[in-house]
């Protein structure tokens, strides 16, 4: 395990950066009132909002090829 003072690099850093970005976006949306009280935050709905259109298309194509 890396000491906390060591900066992360490579795929691990990218994954952590993505997670931090998603956390900030969802937190901001909750605090701004985008999601009302008692609204369930569904992973798929959040993913659809946060993922770019080309990535969604690629994911659908991949899923369709796997189900064929």
């Amino acid at each position: 395990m890396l000491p906390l003072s060591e900066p992360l690099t490579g795929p691990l850093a990218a994954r952590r950066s993505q997670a931090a970005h998603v956390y900030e976006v969802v937190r901001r949306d909750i605090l701004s009132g985008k999601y009302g009280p008692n609204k369930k935050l569904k992973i798929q709905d959040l993913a659809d909002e946060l993922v770019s259109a080309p990535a969604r298309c690629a994911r659908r194509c991949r899923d369709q090829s796997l189900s064929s």
Side-chain angles (χ1 to χ4, degrees):
M1 182 171 216
L2 293 172
L4 292 177
S5 61
E6 292 286 325
L8 294 175
T9 58
L12 185 57
R15 215 172 332 150
R16 187 174 186 133
S17 297
Q18 287 176 339
H21 173 71
V22 169
Y23 171 83
E24 289 299 324
V25 170
V26 172
R27 181 178 186 278
R28 181 194 64 215
D29 289 347
I30 290 169
L31 294 175
S32 72
K34 180 176 180 179
Y35 306 115
N38 300 319
K39 177 167 175 26
K40 291 186 179 187
L41 300 178
K42 298 179 182 174
I43 298 294
Q44 189 59 52
D45 294 342
L46 293 171
D48 289 342
E49 289 178 26
L50 293 169
V51 175
S52 66
R56 278 195 300 271
C57 181
R59 185 171 51 202
R60 280 191 205 117
C61 291
R62 184 195 68 219
D63 292 347
Q64 288 174 354
S65 68
L66 291 175
S67 64
S68 299

